Amino acid sequence: MNYEEARVYLEKASKYGSVLGLENMRHLMDRLGNPQDSLKFIHISGTNGKGSVLAYLSTILTEAGYRVGRYISPTLFSYRERIQVNGERIGKEALAKHVTTIAEAIRDMEEHHLTNPTPFEIETALSFLYFQEKKCDLVVLETGLGGALDATNIIKTPVMEVITPISMDHMAFLGDTLEEIAAQKAGIIKPYTKVVSGPQKAGARKVLEEKAREQGASLEFLDMEEVKDIHYGYEKQSFTWRDFDQVEISLAGSYQILNAALALQAVTMLQELGYPVSRENIYEGFRKTHWRGRFTLISKEPVVIMDGAHNPGAARELEHSLKLYFPHRHIRYIFGIFQDKDYKQVIQITAPLADHIITVQTPDNPRALPAEELKEAVACVNPFVEAAKSIEQAVEKTLEEAKPEDVVIIFGSLSFLGEAERNVKKWKEKQDGLQ
C-alpha cells in the first residue's frame, strides 16, 4: 500500500479502541520477528512530564552523536511526528512499507481468530520496525497509558527507566488510588536495571521502592533540594543541579525545571552505564530542546501560550506558572478537554484565574466533551464563560477582544492545540495584512 492507503488503514483500525494488556502485542510482534528485541530503550512512565523528559533526553543524546529514536503520542501537527529519528519524522514511504508488513501480520492473526490490535499497538509495532531499520543506538520510549499493561511494555531490553511524578489520572483504567496507579506506572521496571524517578508522594514512592526491590533494580529519586539558583521566565529559564551550573532551557512552565533536572539526573546515570555524553552536549542539548504544546509561547503581543494541561496535576502546574509569570495581567482562556478526564477538578484549579473563558470541543474525537457542557461546568466556578462553535471562532473572538497587555492561554487536550495554533497564525497574518 502507498502512504494514503496506509493512513486509511490506520484510521480504520481506530474502531478497535484501546485495550490494556500485552497478549495481543505479543502475537503481533512474534509475527513481525520481534524487532524490539534488537533495540536498547530508555522507557518513560509517570503522569505528567513524560513528553518533556523524552524531549530533553533525546535532544541531548542526539547532540552527543547517538542515533536516537523517539516515539511520542499524541502529536500536534502531523501524524508522522510520533515516530522520529534524530528529530526527523518517519518518511511516507517507510511508513507505508511497514504498515503493509503489519497488515499482513494482522491478517494472519485474524485467520487464527485472534483479537485485532488497537491503533496504539499498531503504531508501537510500526515504531519498532522503523527504529530497527534505522539502526538506532537508543530509543526513548514513552508509555501511552499506565505502564505494566501498556503496549510499549513488550520491550525486554531497557537500559534504564525514568518515572515522572505520579498523580491521579486515567482512573477508569489504572485504579482509584495513587498506590494503584503507581503500581501500573512501576510496571515498566525490569530486573537489574537502573531507575530514576521524579519526586513522589509517599504512597507512590513506597510502591516504586517495593517494585525496584522486587526486581533487583537500583532506584534513585530526584531531590529538588539539590536544584538551586532557579531563574524563571516564559522565554528562557535556568537552574543549577549538583556541579552543573546555570543549565539553560528554552521550555517554559514552572514544572520544566523539575523535568529538566530529572532528565539531567537520567543522563548522569546513562554515563555510569557506559554511554559517554559530554558536558557541552548536555548544555547544548538543553538549550536546543523544543516541545510544542507544553506552555509554548506562540505570540508575544498579546502573549499567547498553549499548554496540554488535561489533568489535575498538570492544571496545578499551569496555575503555578500563571501566578509566577503573570501575577497582575488579565488572563483569557480557550479551553477544551476530554470527558473521561477529571475536568471538574481541572476547572476548580484553573478557572478562578481567568477574566474570560471560551470553551471548545475537540473536533473528530468521540472522547471530547461538548463545548456547551464544558461551559456549564466552568460556569459553576467562573460565570465569565461562553461556548464557541469552533476552534477558529474561539481564537478569533478571544484575540479580537484581547488587549496587547493581556495573556491568552489555550489549554486542555493536546489534540486541539495544533489547530488552535494554526488559527492564531492565520488571525495574526490577517491583522498584519490590514496594517
Side-chain angles (χ1 to χ4, degrees), residues 102-121:
I102 291 167
E104 290 168 2
I106 292 173
R107 274 195 293 274
D108 186 70
M109 288 175 68
E110 290 170 345
E111 287 172 9
H112 287 82
H113 308 291
L114 297 169
T115 306
N116 280 77
T118 67
F120 187 70
E121 288 169 337

Side-chain angles (χ1 to χ4, degrees), residues 175-423:
D176 297 323
T177 68
L178 186 66
E179 288 78 8
E180 287 174 338
I181 292 170
Q184 287 296 320
K185 306 289 187 183
I188 68 167
I189 299 174
K190 300 293 188 296
Y192 310 112
T193 52
K194 285 186 177 286
V195 189
V196 61
S197 167
Q200 303 290 355
K201 292 175 183 173
R205 183 181 177 110
K206 184 180 178 185
V207 170
L208 295 183
E209 287 171 338
E210 288 173 353
K211 184 65 175 180
R213 194 158 45 245
E214 174 190 309
Q215 295 286 57
S218 66
L219 170 63
E220 291 181 10
F221 289 94
L222 173 67
D223 180 359
M224 284 303 289
E225 289 189 5
E226 291 188 291
V227 183
K228 304 178 186 299
D229 199 17
I230 298 170
H231 297 277
Y232 292 108
Y234 62 87
E235 293 187 75
K236 189 168 66 176
Q237 308 190 106
S238 63
F239 67 97
T240 293
W241 180 79
R242 294 184 183 172
D243 64 337
F244 289 90
D245 293 322
Q246 288 304 292
V247 178
E248 189 179 291
I249 59 174
S250 56
L251 297 189
S254 58
Y255 50 88
Q256 287 299 348
I257 300 295
L258 185 157
N259 293 337
L262 180 58
L264 182 51
Q265 187 160 346
V267 170
T268 61
M269 192 177 278
L270 277 172
Q271 291 172 323
E272 293 170 11
L273 287 165
Y275 289 88
V277 182
S278 72
R279 293 177 73 88
E280 185 182 345
N281 298 150
I282 291 169
Y283 279 96
E284 193 62 20
F286 275 119
R287 274 193 293 270
K288 288 183 176 178
T289 299
H290 296 283
W291 193 235
R292 308 295 285 171
R294 278 70 175 182
F295 212 85
T296 304
L297 179 71
I298 57 175
S299 169
K300 291 187 180 181
E301 199 172 292
V303 168
V304 181
I305 287 167
M306 58 181 188
D307 187 70
H310 60 265
N311 58 43
R316 276 186 283 273
E317 295 292 359
L318 175 60
E319 175 199 28
H320 184 252
S321 295
L322 294 179
K323 288 178 176 177
L324 179 69
Y325 300 138
F326 311 114
H328 306 296
R329 305 273 283 273
H330 287 289
I331 295 174
R332 295 172 176 271
Y333 290 163
I334 298 172
F335 175 39
I337 198 166
F338 289 162
Q339 55 194 339
D340 57 2
K341 295 291 182 179
D342 189 359
Y343 62 88
K344 291 183 180 177
Q345 186 64 23
V346 171
I347 291 166
Q348 287 289 336
I349 295 164
T350 59
L353 298 178
D355 295 278
H356 189 260
I357 301 169
I358 296 183
T359 60
V360 297
Q361 178 174 344
T362 297
D364 306 319
N365 197 307
R367 295 168 59 199
L369 187 66
E372 282 290 342
E373 198 174 327
L374 182 55
K375 171 197 159 187
E376 290 172 14
V378 171
C380 296
V381 179
N382 186 331
F384 301 104
V385 58
E386 61 183 290
K389 292 180 180 176
S390 67
I391 292 166
E392 182 177 17
Q393 183 190 69
V395 167
E396 285 187 356
K397 183 173 176 56
T398 299
L399 293 180
E400 280 166 9
E401 293 180 356
K403 296 175 181 175
E405 64 272 17
D406 287 353
V407 176
V408 176
I409 308 295
I410 305 171
F411 80 101
S413 298
L414 283 164
S415 53
F416 85 92
L417 298 186
E419 183 176 339
E421 180 173 14
R422 284 190 290 272
N423 280 289

